[in-house]
Amino acid sequence: MPQLNPGPWMLIGLSSWLIFLLLIPPLVILFKPVNSPTKKQTLNPLDPWHWPWP
């Protein structure tokens, strides 16, 4: 049965770990979000239109 031969699966597993450990982390570290987060605007207490959601 070819499924029980560990030779090709060992190479596939090793190469996938190398991809995840060497190529993916620099892409994740260098990722910058498209829009920077903004501060929540504070409502004026005298504002007549006070909605319960921001």
Side-chain angles (χ1 to χ4, degrees):
M1 297 177 114
Q3 304 93 300
L4 300 178
N5 185 7
W9 300 110
M10 188 64 142
L11 183 60
I12 291 170
L14 184 63
S15 62
S16 64
W17 271 110
L18 288 175
I19 288 170
F20 282 120
L21 292 177
L22 297 176
L23 297 178
I24 303 296
L27 294 175
V28 172
I29 291 170
L30 296 176
F31 176 76
K32 299 198 184 218
V34 177
N35 296 328
S36 61
T38 58
K39 290 185 178 180
K40 185 178 178 183
Q41 295 179 353
T42 57
L43 296 174
N44 187 1
L46 301 176
D47 191 10
W49 294 100
H50 181 66
W51 299 100
W53 56 85

